[in-house]
Amino acid sequence: MKKISYLLALLIGFVAIAQTKLVEKVTKKGDEIVIPYEKYVLDNGLTLIIHEDHSDPLVHVDVTYHVGSAREELNKSGFAHFFEHMMFQGSENVADEEHFKIVTEAGGTLNGTTNRDRTNYFETVPSNQLETMLWLEADRMGFFLDAVTQEKFEVQRATVKNEKGQNYDNSPYGKWREVNAGSLYPFGHPYSWLTIGRLEDLDRVDVEDLKKFFLRWYGPNNATLTVGGDVDPKDVIQKVEKLFGVIPGGPDVNPLELAAPELASDRYVSYVDSNIRFPALLLTFPTVPRFHDDEAALDCLAEILGTGRSSYFYKKFVLTRKAIQASTFHPTSEHAGEFTLFALPFPGGTLSEFETQIREILAEFEENGVTDDDIIKFKANQEQSMINGLASVAGKVSQLASYETFYGNPNGIKYDLDRYMKITKEDVMRVFNKYIKGKSAVIQSVIPNEETATAKEDNYDIPREGDNPFPSTDYSGLSYTRPTGDNFDRSQRPPLGENPSIKVPDFWKETYANGIKVIGTETNEIPVVALQLTINGGHKMDAYAPKKSGLASLTASMMNEATKNYTSEEIQEELRKLGSSINIFGGRSSTTMTVSSLKKNLAKTLEIADEMLKNPAFNQEDFDRLKNQQMEGIKASQKSPGSIASQVFNRLMYGDEHIYSVSSQGIEETVENITLDDVREFYSKYYSPNVSELVIVGDISKKEIDKYLNFLKDWESKNTKLPELPTAKASDNTKIYLVDKVDAPQSQIRIGYVTDLEYDVTGDYYKSTLMNFPLGGAFNSRINLNLREDKGWTYGARSFFNGSDEPAPFTASAGVKAAATDSSVVEFMKEITNFRTGGITDAELAFMRSAIGQRDARSYETPGQKANFLRRINHYNLDKNFVDKQNKIIATISKEEINGLAKKYLQDENLYILVVGDGASNRSKLEKLGYEIIDVNAKGDIINDNTIETKK
């Protein structure tokens, strides 16, 4: 019997291979940078790419359709992005909302993205789930349209509108790309609108329009299926042929011809954004498409002008304290590129002056030309970027898919590396003269109010109507015929393969004599070494001097500046030549130094790390500049609804006596008090090895790395002690705190309190995260399904416990459309109360066990994931087998225990409810909910009878 089954399997495999043509096979030779793969084409035109990699028990599946907003037409924008949403709403054999449930339950992660030129869907899962992922993707490719309903259509239309409101209309500088696109490209050009589309187009579209769009563009002959990871190529071919082979090819897809835009003169445009403090000036020049011969040189030009401390923009604007931010960037699409020069002036500088100074920079660059160092730094950056892109199977698969779609060859990484490594100084000057010097641009001013002057009076209005000069797509004669010919029951979810063996990474530990706790692991998938030095304390140390909150953050910023022996420019430029990075930043409970280096450059990189850690110069000039930036950043955050919500909510939950009631950046009043001597004292007292931990991950053994770490072993201890923090403030009863954000299209909602749970890996904190998973921790949690998928009020809603060394806050949050503000509060409270009183269902318990129990397979893949895993072990003194203990808890925790945790740690009274939204439209409706409403300003100060009660 076994012999017959084996012969039958061979026969099936032979048939599959006979129907699927091998196009090419690429293998790795020596140390070359390449992603090995096999490329096939099915009879229906589907391109299949397979990357075999057994380093982790994972598989990544990507389906890329060569259709984005560039295939849309005037007055019908947003179709491709809308379809990205719709294709998660079920198909013939996959129920509504089940796609997310199946992948999450499999311990996987998934998403879909749309840009101008392609749409892709992807999943990363344990390798035994491969056939299930292929089944899901095949079902929505070939068996989708019969499941499309008007009800699903309307919910997703509302969700997309909320996405636009959250990410564009209600976000600082959120509309600049829309204005830029409409100003740069001709009327009717599909790049003249954003991928998300125009709201008026979303309102006029109907479900039949979308069905025709699908039939025209989503056939297998316009798709690339890429599978990578712990797979057998022959097995993949067999499964793909079985699941995708019966899907007929769609209409022929010819290459899209779109001419690059040409500007006869400068186009001045502007808009008012009430969410910003700093005006913005952007000059955008039309350039070349992706893979054009001049693209690489233009990327190099952008880096010279606006990346790093030696760049013209940094020296001209940031170093001189004229702007809080200034840079240049050169994104390219399939049919065009855009070279943008960008500055955010501090209040006081005019946009007209900045335009003049930007043009002076271009003239200065022309006079100075390109240096050898410019080319060295650019090439080093490209090399390290490409190598780091190979750290995960998802990264490798996405690159293969992208290269196949736009370059016509999955092996584009070789082409990319070659063309970037061949850049010359002459190439850069040539493209500067061809595309930038003396050329016309879109010059956009983004201003916070009507009183702020633009760079120049607008001379261009984005056209909204007229004859469309671009050809229309013929959608006639398209009809859906359900694919036939299966010799298996497609309605049945495929059986799982054998469970993969999940290996927690091996590691070594050591404690230096000065107190540094060290942990490390060797991984040789890419020739990169990363170090993470965590100095415990951070903003928590501000508790010793709360009237100078923000000092920890400012000190960390100063550590990135000059040292006693080198200027900050010299340090950063040397790192760029090495293709290395060192960053020091201050967080809520720690200050962290991160180091990343190609292995061949590790010694030189750590010499620089030694210099930065041990010998900061703390110059007055650097201090004045960074303090000003921090102060202006605080003021700017009081314009952004999301930032306001986070900061005010923390103040409510913790109370003014707690250091966490202010952000790590501090507030205006406290930052104003900080002096350079305070920074020096903070460094002297609190940067100490006895509160430090070191994680080492990369292509290096303990013996090899040890010889480079004497600078840490010799670091003098100061016996630093962490402060004891007070108990967080509890609410006496549930109240709504309202921040009036006039005319806001969305409301930011936060609901929560501080628990008495501290971080643990096997106790009540860990078990409470399991309890919360079906409530608000998964995409298909009760909260998100209610507010997003059922109601269409939000782009996403969630709840979570955020544990650390201090008691964990519980937070439920969402950005919702303004008209649904009061109803969203009601639904949040209903879901929390129902879960607390009714508990978890059997189905939810099984879902949680499967989803969390299997996701360990993707927890240790990349260097970053390994570093985070080891940092937790190091910080909390965990045993290596804590993962086994967690898995046992997941497998055995009962409904009764979870329901007990819900009753204990989920509050449905004495809550803080914060709403940041339009007060005029929301107040009366919120009052009807029966809670006391307290008005607060953007700082969290209570407003009483038009007076402000300040406690700070």
Side-chain angles (χ1 to χ4, degrees):
M1 187 69 180
K2 288 183 178 180
K3 185 175 182 181
I4 293 174
S5 299
Y6 176 71
L7 291 173
L8 181 61
L10 282 178
L11 179 61
I12 293 172
F14 175 79
V15 171
I17 293 172
Q19 294 176 340
T20 304
K21 300 173 184 177
L22 174 65
V23 177
E24 64 177 336
K25 181 174 181 177
V26 171
T27 58
K28 183 176 181 179
K29 299 173 184 177
D31 294 331
E32 67 176 340
I33 299 176
V34 69
I35 308 171
Y37 66 88
E38 299 175 16
K39 175 181 174 181
Y40 299 86
V41 176
L42 276 66
D43 287 348
N44 58 10
L46 177 67
T47 298
L48 169 64
I49 300 168
I50 305 170
H51 165 64
E52 187 176 3
D53 176 4
H54 300 290
S55 58
D56 293 283
L58 294 171
V59 63
H60 185 83
V61 175
D62 177 289
V63 179
T64 296
Y65 296 93
H66 198 165
V67 56
S69 56
R71 292 291 188 175
E72 297 164 358
E73 299 178 24
L74 187 66
N75 301 323
K76 293 184 178 181
S77 66
F79 276 28
H81 176 258
F82 203 156
F83 245 107
E84 178 207 315
H85 281 250
M86 289 297 296
M87 286 177 75
F88 284 105
Q89 302 309 303
S91 47
E92 179 180 315
N93 302 296
V94 182
D96 188 14
E97 318 301 349
E98 196 173 16
H99 198 117
F100 271 94
K101 181 178 184 295
I102 288 172
V103 178
T104 306
E105 195 171 38
T109 183
L110 74 161
N111 213 330
T113 67
T114 311
N115 64 26
R116 289 169 165 176
D117 307 306
R118 65 99 184 102
T119 302
N120 71 338
Y121 302 90
F122 48 90
E123 301 90 10
T124 305
V125 292
S127 53
N128 66 324
Q129 301 283 347
L130 170 62
E131 189 169 2
T132 299
M133 299 306 108
L134 295 174
W135 171 71
L136 288 170
E137 292 296 351
D139 212 59
R140 63 177 166 194
M141 179 185 285
F143 302 84
F144 170 70
L145 285 185
D146 282 345
V148 175
T149 66
Q150 189 68 34
E151 181 182 7
K152 293 178 184 178
F153 173 83
E154 294 299 342
V155 170
Q156 291 310 308
R157 171 154 50 190
T159 300
V160 171
K161 287 183 176 181
N162 280 302
E163 181 182 355
K164 191 171 192 303
Q166 179 172 315
N167 294 340
Y168 299 87
D169 302 337
N170 204 39
S171 177
Y173 311 101
K175 296 175 67 174
W176 84 264
R177 292 185 185 276
E178 185 174 10
V179 173
N180 232 43
S183 305
L184 185 63
Y185 295 96
F187 178 73
H189 192 295
Y191 282 4
S192 68
W193 53 79
L194 296 186
T195 302
I196 199 167
R198 294 170 176 152
L199 287 181
E200 58 268 29
D201 292 350
L202 292 174
D203 283 333
R204 73 166 62 92
V205 67
D206 63 36
V207 70
E208 293 305 316
D209 290 326
L210 281 176
K211 286 183 177 182
K212 290 178 181 178
F213 192 80
F214 177 85
L215 288 168
R216 182 66 186 85
W217 303 114
Y218 291 79
N221 54 307
N222 196 36
T224 297
L225 168 62
T226 309
V227 179
D230 187 19
V231 298
D232 177 353
K234 292 180 181 179
D235 179 59
V236 174
I237 294 168
Q238 180 181 324
K239 288 178 169 59
V240 169
E241 182 67 31
K242 168 188 170 183
L243 293 163
F244 290 84
V246 301
I247 303 172
D252 290 341
V253 177
N254 297 316
L256 182 62
E257 300 294 336
L258 289 175
E262 296 181 3
L263 304 181
S265 60
D266 288 332
R267 294 177 178 177
Y268 287 87
V269 294
S270 66
Y271 77 95
V272 175
D273 185 345
S274 62
N275 295 313
I276 65 173
R277 171 173 171 78
F278 308 109
L281 181 68
L282 305 105
L283 282 71
T284 300
F285 297 85
T287 61
V288 299
R290 187 179 180 190
F291 295 121
H292 187 281
D293 289 344
D294 290 340
E295 180 192 14
L298 283 161
D299 288 347
C300 184
L301 173 63
E303 187 171 295
I304 293 168
L305 289 175
T307 300
R309 305 208 175 192
S310 66
S311 70
Y312 289 84
F313 271 51
Y314 183 84
K315 288 182 174 180
K316 182 81 170 182
F317 297 131
V318 179
L319 196 60
T320 59
R321 298 171 59 185
K322 294 178 180 178
I324 192 168
Q325 188 178 345
S327 63
T328 60
F329 41 93
H330 181 236
T332 54
S333 301
E334 187 175 12
H335 303 286
E338 300 164 12
F339 195 101
T340 298
L341 306 100
F342 163 73
L344 293 180
F346 283 122
T350 69
L351 296 183
S352 177
E353 292 170 345
F354 268 76
E355 182 190 350
T356 299
Q357 291 170 24
I358 287 175
R359 296 189 184 280
E360 290 172 353
I361 285 175
L362 296 179
E364 185 181 351
F365 167 77
E366 181 184 13
E367 181 178 349
N368 294 341
V370 183
T371 68
D372 290 335
D373 276 356
D374 289 333
I375 301 297
I376 291 171
K377 289 180 293 187
F378 177 73
K379 291 180 178 180
N381 179 59
Q382 293 299 317
E383 181 185 22
Q384 67 83 21
S385 177
M386 289 184 185
I387 290 174
N388 280 307
L390 307 179
S392 70
V393 65
K396 288 180 279 191
V397 165
S398 63
Q399 287 191 57
L400 290 170
S402 180
Y403 283 129
E404 170 63 26
T405 302
F406 299 118
Y407 180 57
N409 184 341
N411 198 22
I413 194 169
K414 175 175 173 54
Y415 165 74
D416 257 350
L417 189 61
D418 287 347
R419 67 180 176 137
Y420 280 99
M421 293 302 106
K422 291 177 181 177
I423 290 293
T424 66
K425 294 185 290 185
E426 291 74 22
D427 290 330
V428 179
M429 291 308 301
R430 176 179 54 78
V431 297
F432 170 76
N433 289 318
K434 185 175 182 179
Y435 301 103
I436 308 299
K437 179 187 175 183
K439 305 301 179 184
S440 298
V442 170
I443 303 166
Q444 181 179 166
S445 302
V446 185
I447 52 177
N449 50 59
E450 296 284 359
E451 290 71 41
T452 303
T454 60
K456 191 177 287 188
E457 185 177 351
D458 290 3
N459 66 1
Y460 185 78
D461 292 322
I462 298 174
R464 298 295 182 186
E465 57 185 21
D467 295 330
N468 184 10
F470 291 85
S472 299
T473 300
D474 182 8
Y475 288 99
S476 64
L478 297 173
S479 61
Y480 172 64
T481 302
R482 184 186 179 279
T484 58
D486 284 336
N487 57 6
F488 67 99
D489 185 356
R490 193 176 287 266
S491 67
Q492 296 299 308
R493 178 175 169 179
L496 297 180
E498 185 179 349
N499 284 338
S501 175
I502 300 171
K503 183 181 179 183
V504 174
D506 291 327
F507 57 84
W508 52 268
K509 297 178 74 173
E510 183 177 0
T511 300
Y512 294 157
N514 57 6
I516 301 179
K517 295 166 58 180
V518 187
I519 191 168
T521 189
E522 182 177 1
T523 174
N524 56 13
E525 290 182 45
I526 56 175
V528 171
V529 179
L531 285 79
Q532 185 183 97
L533 177 67
T534 301
I535 306 171
N536 289 301
H539 177 49
K540 188 175 182 177
M541 293 301 197
D542 287 341
Y544 286 130
K547 292 184 179 179
K548 297 184 178 182
S549 291
L551 176 56
S553 178
L554 186 52
T555 303
S557 297
M558 289 288 289
M559 296 291 292
N560 293 292
E561 297 297 323
T563 68
K564 294 174 181 177
N565 300 304
Y566 302 97
T567 67
S568 60
E569 181 182 332
E570 288 172 336
I571 290 172
Q572 295 302 321
E573 293 314 296
E574 185 61 28
L575 286 170
R576 290 180 63 202
K577 290 178 188 178
L578 297 170
S580 301
S581 65
I582 301 176
N583 292 293
I584 303 172
F585 55 92
R588 175 186 267 197
S589 59
S590 64
T591 297
T592 304
M593 169 187 272
T594 61
V595 180
S596 178
S597 172
L598 298 177
K599 183 178 180 180
K600 64 184 180 181
N601 296 327
L602 181 62
K604 292 181 180 179
T605 303
L606 291 183
E607 287 177 7
I608 298 172
D610 181 9
E611 177 69 18
M612 292 175 65
L613 180 66
K614 299 281 193 63
N615 297 309
F618 294 141
N619 294 329
Q620 186 70 48
E621 184 179 4
D622 291 335
F623 172 79
D624 291 341
R625 171 171 46 82
L626 292 176
K627 178 179 176 178
N628 185 53
Q629 287 181 356
Q630 189 160 320
M631 182 73 79
E632 291 294 338
I634 292 166
K635 294 176 182 177
S637 69
Q638 292 161 14
K639 292 277 191 175
S640 166
S643 296
I644 293 170
S646 296
Q647 293 174 26
V648 174
F649 191 60
N650 280 334
R651 184 174 178 188
L652 292 173
M653 286 199 301
Y654 286 102
D656 288 338
E657 294 74 28
H658 200 292
I659 197 63
Y660 290 168
S661 67
V662 299
S663 78
S664 60
Q665 297 295 303
I667 58 176
E668 293 173 60
E669 294 84 349
T670 60
V671 174
E672 184 62 44
N673 294 334
I674 299 173
T675 67
L676 181 56
D677 284 339
D678 293 326
V679 169
R680 291 175 176 142
E681 183 180 13
F682 190 96
Y683 170 79
S684 176
K685 284 184 175 181
Y686 305 135
Y687 278 54
S688 175
N690 78 293
V691 291
S692 297
E693 299 155 3
L694 178 65
V695 177
I696 303 163
V697 176
D699 186 18
I700 197 164
S701 67
K702 180 182 184 299
K703 183 178 180 180
E704 287 179 288
I705 190 69
D706 196 60
K707 61 188 176 184
Y708 298 124
L709 299 179
N710 287 332
F711 75 100
L712 291 175
K713 297 176 184 178
D714 297 340
W715 189 17
E716 184 180 351
S717 181
K718 302 159 188 174
N719 295 317
T720 299
K721 298 187 184 309
L722 302 179
E724 294 289 333
L725 300 185
T727 301
K729 176 186 174 184
S731 178
D732 49 3
N733 53 61
T734 301
K735 301 175 184 177
I736 295 177
Y737 294 82
L738 178 61
V739 179
D740 185 14
K741 187 69 174 165
V742 179
D743 296 329
Q746 274 201 329
S747 296
Q748 288 287 334
I749 296 175
R750 304 287 186 272
I751 300 173
Y753 48 89
V754 177
T755 72
D756 59 3
L757 289 167
E758 293 183 10
Y759 179 88
D760 62 54
V761 294
T762 55
D764 274 8
Y765 171 77
Y766 176 71
K767 293 175 183 177
S768 292
T769 65
L770 304 182
M771 175 267 290
N772 177 70
F773 191 73
L775 171 63
F779 179 88
N780 52 318
S781 65
R782 293 188 188 186
I783 288 173
N784 195 55
L785 288 184
N786 184 341
L787 271 71
R788 171 177 162 141
E789 298 300 303
D790 296 343
K791 306 289 195 311
W793 292 343
T794 180
Y795 184 48
R798 63 208 59 82
S799 64
F800 54 92
F801 292 91
N802 187 17
S804 63
D805 295 342
E806 265 62 55
F810 172 81
T811 305
S813 67
V816 303
K817 67 178 184 179
T821 301
D822 59 319
S823 301
S824 297
V825 172
V826 170
E827 294 302 318
F828 264 122
M829 295 297 291
K830 182 185 77 174
E831 295 295 354
I832 293 170
T833 298
N834 286 349
F835 199 91
R836 182 179 185 276
T837 58
I840 193 171
T841 67
D842 290 334
E844 287 172 334
L845 179 60
F847 168 68
M848 180 277 292
R849 282 182 173 155
S850 181
I852 298 180
Q854 295 190 76
R855 69 184 182 186
D856 276 344
R858 56 185 177 86
S859 296
Y860 327 117
E861 182 189 14
T862 67
Q865 289 171 323
K866 288 183 173 73
N868 289 332
F869 175 74
L870 295 181
R871 190 201 67 81
R872 280 190 296 152
I873 290 176
N874 211 24
H875 184 72
Y876 293 105
N877 296 313
L878 304 177
D879 294 329
K880 182 177 180 178
N881 66 353
F882 84 88
V883 174
D884 296 331
K885 295 177 182 177
Q886 288 183 333
N887 288 333
K888 185 175 181 180
I889 291 170
I890 293 167
T892 60
I893 192 168
S894 66
K895 283 180 65 176
E896 290 73 22
E897 185 172 5
I898 285 182
N899 293 341
L901 291 165
K903 286 183 169 61
K904 184 175 182 180
Y905 295 113
L906 286 180
Q907 295 179 196
D908 53 8
E909 55 186 19
N910 299 332
L911 298 170
Y912 293 100
I913 302 176
L914 174 67
V915 175
V916 181
D918 183 58
S921 61
N922 286 318
R923 175 178 297 281
S924 60
K925 292 186 288 186
L926 290 170
E927 287 173 345
K928 294 177 182 178
L929 302 185
Y931 303 113
E932 179 184 357
I933 296 180
I934 298 175
D935 292 294
V936 294
N937 63 16
K939 296 181 178 182
D941 297 323
I942 296 174
I943 303 172
N944 291 318
D945 301 324
N946 296 319
T947 63
I948 297 176
E949 178 186 333
T950 305
K951 293 186 178 181
K952 289 287 179 194

